[in-house]
Amino acid sequence: MLPFLLSWLHATNDLFGAFLTPLLPKLQAAFGVSYGAVSTLVALQSLTGSLLQPLAGLVADRYDRRLLAALGPLLMALGGGLLGFFPNLWVAGAMLALSGLGSALFHSAGAALVGQYADPARRGFWMSFFGTGGYIGLALGPVVSLAVVNQGGLKALAWLIPLALAPALLLLRQAPPTRLQTRPSTLRDVGRVFRGQVARLWAVSTLRSVVFLSFSTTIPFWFHQRGLPDAQVALALSVYSISATVGAFLGGTLSDRLGRRQVLVGTMAFAIPLYLALLLVPPENPLYVGLLALTGALMNAGVPVAVAMAQEHEPAQMATVSGLLMGFTWGFAGLLYGVVGPMVERFGVVESLSLLGLLLIPALTLSLSVREAKAPLQRA
């Protein structure tokens, strides 16, 4: 029951988190600022929501994770639901940064609770289920926010805030208070886990994320260069995103049966030649969509597997390592992505993506060096 409820909260949290980007033109008009100025709101929310996840995990390993997992989506809902009430860009920036912090608290605490309450034999499945909730929220966010705003204006978003309140209250009612039996985590513990198996898992995940993010964000530019219609761009992005969601779900589930390390290494090994094929096969080829789907699935299959492995290696700092392997990985990959645009402009799309694809080789090498945890983590 609790892992299911946490997945519901994940969907709600990421639903409100996905409100901001599609509404930027409307916020620009409301605040009377430039598009560049209003786009800083995305950066603020993203930075606090991703790069602060390890610190949020540190907090979640010191205090009741249940309270933090309930509070996080409420903060995110206030940030997304009150967009129409912020008087200026400065207030909006402060509130959205706070909502991003709420998201960081939820992801770290929520993932730790999943690992804590799930059956150890099915931890990979429930971690995948938890992640799938987030993907569903991200997919629905733009659709829901635009539909509501087009009907009732920006202030109408406030009517959606109870969507986060209901599952948060259910979690507080259903989940027993978390009483950690180990000493609280400290910054020294973060440094310790970051030098061991968790560091290797983080490096594997970050390198994979850089390649995944670079490819998905470059598809529109690449297809435009080839004169392909917008409909084909939309299809490619949708297929890549949906297949990544399916891949993450299957990856975690299979790791319960086949072993975490086998799935982590195997999916990475098969992803490398498929990624190369994506750059060699023309996008106009009828087989391209199927190839894209398979590659997207394999590229993302290791996400819940790496989180589950990190939790099993560091049971005393579950929330901290969850933050490292989730938001911090994507946040760091996003920072590295800053060099991709200039690379594409100077060397070309295929050449740049080919060079970035080489990052999958050290990712595979590192995944081969990762060990399974000595004993499965028992449910608290």
Side-chain angles (χ1 to χ4, degrees), residues 32-97:
V33 297
S34 68
Y35 188 78
V38 79
S39 65
T40 59
L41 297 177
V42 177
L44 282 170
Q45 189 179 59
S46 176
L47 285 173
T48 57
S50 57
L51 294 181
L52 291 184
Q53 276 198 34
L55 295 180
L58 199 66
V59 174
D61 279 330
R62 295 179 69 93
Y63 303 102
D64 193 340
R65 295 168 182 162
R66 177 190 62 132
L67 296 175
L68 297 176
L71 174 64
L74 289 177
L75 291 176
M76 182 58 89
L78 290 175
L82 298 179
L83 284 173
F85 293 88
F86 300 142
N88 55 56
L89 188 67
W90 298 103
V91 174
M95 288 299 296
L96 290 171

